[in-house]
Amino acid sequence: MDALGQLGGQPIDVRSLTNTAVSNVICSIIVGKRFDYEDTYFAKLLELLNEQVRLMATSNLSNIFPWLHYVPGDTFQSKKRMENYHYIRTFFCVHHIEKTENEFDEDNKDNFISAYLAEMKKAERQGRETTLNKENLSRVLLNLFGAGSETTSTTMLWFMVYMLHYPHIQNKVYREIEDVVGTERVPAMQDRPRLNYTNAVIMETQRLASIVPVGVPHYTQTEATVMGYTVPAGTTVLSNLDTVLWDGDTWENPMDFRPERFLDDQGKITQPEQFMPFSIGRRLCLGESMARMELYLFLAALVQRFEFAPEVPDQLPLRVPLDGITSPPVKFKIRFVDRRST
Ligand code: HEM
């Protein structure tokens, strides 16, 4: 908020700021620290992570035919993907695991790595068979860092794009926050149940932006039968979340941005089971409740303090997604006009 306030309403491509702010939340949990916005090491990691998410597009043939990795050259950028993976793993995971291990204090488990190492050491001491090991820890860290950074930040960018397209909706969100919370303190979690319209706008953003369009690839371990079709063992399965989030039978005029679809006659949140931006089933998003908390806290605070305005009046950002395992909006600039100074 301070970083945006300091811009004095100048247009900005806000992607790296939202990315760093969001990523710092998961980093505080997993490595026990946040990083400065000027930290070049962290900026590089996030840049690589974003590139990685783009390279993981299902339209990239090497993600469908892994043997293309062995074709000379790097037409399909699978070698670049491996390079990025090793860089992030070495500089983020291995480094922080080593550092935590060197400073390890059994009585001070204040982050995920130290808690994991403590459990691992306990299992070793007890001679228990366990899957807790440093290789797995490094993979889990990479998953949490990867899944917990770009997704929430991408959803925030779409929210901004829609608010620029629909200023009357942005205004209504602001009025609700002003009524319920006021402007003397930032919106807190306790206010969430009373900020129904704000929550509906966030949910409609998630539905329409559908930022993880085909979920995360899964793999059948045994043969399965789905609606009469046989899916052999060893098949990669993608869940097309778009077809549900944009289904005309569930959502009237599904491509319209209409937050009211998540509100009942009393103005309270109502959520059809087809609302599944975090997927469904046993492997649904691990970070759903955290992501929903982050989206609400960040976005409500931003709307409370700033009016979002386009870079140039009447020139709105494109509502076009980039290709990748997630779909952020194409690059755009936005102005954050401080409501305190207007
Ligand atoms: C708006 C933000 C987010 C969206 C839309 C989102 C969406 C998803 C989706 C669609 C999946 C695939 C589920 C499946 O395979 O069926 C997933 C998996 C996952 N997400 Fe998220 N996610 C978000 C934020 C987060 C955050 C903040 C975290 C970290 C705490 C996180 C951690 C994970 C993990 C670890 C998985 C893999 C779960 C597993 O395979 O069991 N996500 N997410």
Side-chain angles (χ1 to χ4, degrees):
M1 301 273 277
D2 289 343
L4 293 178
Q6 280 160 17
L7 292 169
Q10 288 302 308
I12 178 182
D13 174 356
V14 74
R15 194 172 307 243
S16 98
L17 267 184
T18 53
N19 227 332
T20 316
V22 167
S23 193
N24 266 330
V25 179
I26 190 74
C27 285
S28 305
I29 297 172
I30 58 180
V31 300
K33 67 171 277 197
R34 63 182 299 284
F35 297 86
D36 282 339
Y37 292 139
E38 289 77 30
D39 190 322
T40 45
Y41 152 81
F42 195 55
K44 163 99 177 158
L45 277 179
L46 288 178
E47 196 187 302
L48 288 182
L49 181 65
N50 285 347
E51 184 178 48
Q52 201 67 342
V53 172
R54 305 276 71 74
L55 294 175
M56 281 160 76
T58 37
S59 58
N60 182 331
L61 282 182
S62 70
N63 291 324
I64 298 167
F65 307 111
W67 49 266
L68 286 171
H69 179 71
Y70 302 100
V71 173
D74 197 18
T75 315
F76 302 99
Q77 294 188 292
S78 61
K79 294 182 182 75
K80 174 78 186 133
R81 216 176 57 211
M82 290 312 283
E83 234 173 69
N84 288 354
Y85 171 79
H86 287 298
Y87 186 94
I88 301 174
R89 193 169 169 272
T90 311
F91 282 81
F92 187 71
C93 306
V94 176
H95 167 77
H96 285 287
I97 294 172
E98 269 172 16
K99 189 165 171 292
T100 314
E101 212 172 18
N102 291 340
E103 299 163 1
F104 187 67
D105 170 5
E106 183 86 57
D107 300 320
N108 186 17
K109 299 185 280 277
D110 65 349
N111 63 54
F112 182 82
I113 302 180
S114 50
Y116 189 106
L117 289 176
E119 274 310 302
M120 192 177 102
K121 286 175 199 289
K122 194 161 115 193
E124 278 165 12
R125 275 199 308 272
Q126 294 171 343
R128 253 193 294 134
E129 207 179 303
T130 175
T131 55
L132 299 174
N133 58 51
K134 282 199 260 174
E135 174 61 28
N136 275 348
L137 170 56
S138 167
R139 283 167 191 269
V140 171
L141 285 180
L142 205 61
N143 280 349
L144 290 173
F145 175 60
S149 301
E150 205 265 353
T151 43
T152 309
S153 158
T154 286
T155 310
M156 284 170 63
L157 294 178
W158 277 114
F159 178 92
M160 291 171 194
V161 169
Y162 293 136
M163 291 309 96
L164 293 178
H165 277 262
Y166 306 106
H168 64 286
I169 296 182
Q170 183 188 160
N171 205 25
K172 206 166 158 187
V173 173
Y174 175 68
R175 295 275 163 245
E176 184 184 58
I177 296 171
E178 198 185 30
D179 273 1
V180 174
V181 182
T183 51
E184 296 300 310
R185 60 171 181 88
V186 286
M189 283 311 289
Q190 299 91 289
D191 302 312
R192 184 157 75 164
R194 290 185 300 146
L195 291 171
N196 290 311
Y197 188 73
T198 306
N199 285 310
V201 174
I202 295 173
M203 289 164 85
E204 180 67 343
T205 299
Q206 289 204 271
R207 184 194 70 79
L208 191 55
S210 181
I211 67 138
V212 195
V214 289
V216 169
H218 288 276
Y219 183 80
T220 46
Q221 287 179 317
T222 53
E223 186 179 288
T225 307
V226 182
M227 297 167 82
Y229 293 92
T230 303
V231 185
T235 306
T236 301
V237 179
L238 298 170
S239 50
N240 190 347
L241 298 178
D242 281 359
T243 54
V244 187
L245 293 172
W246 299 343
D247 177 28
D249 290 340
T250 308
W251 320 96
E252 200 187 323
N253 298 326
M255 302 322 281
D256 289 356
F257 189 84
R258 207 189 283 172
E260 287 74 16
R261 51 174 110 246
F262 289 104
L263 296 172
D264 66 14
D265 300 344
Q266 255 85 82
K268 296 257 181 296
I269 291 288
T270 159
Q271 182 176 319
E273 60 175 355
Q274 288 86 345
F275 178 67
M276 52 175 78
F278 297 99
S279 190
I280 46 166
R282 292 182 68 177
R283 296 296 296 273
L284 95 172
C285 175
L286 178 88
E288 171 172 359
S289 54
M290 181 173 150
R292 296 190 58 221
M293 206 186 273
E294 286 181 316
L295 287 174
Y296 159 74
L297 289 173
F298 274 116
L299 294 172
L302 282 172
V303 174
Q304 183 194 43
R305 166 125 179 230
F306 301 103
E307 183 189 334
F308 303 171
E311 179 183 13
V312 180
D314 300 328
Q315 262 185 41
L316 296 172
L318 296 175
R319 290 172 49 166
V320 175
L322 286 172
D323 203 7
I325 188 89
T326 65
S327 321
V330 291
K331 205 171 165 164
F332 68 98
K333 284 198 174 174
I334 175 170
R335 291 189 302 116
F336 293 90
V337 182
D338 206 327
R339 295 186 195 268
R340 295 176 189 173
S341 51
T342 50

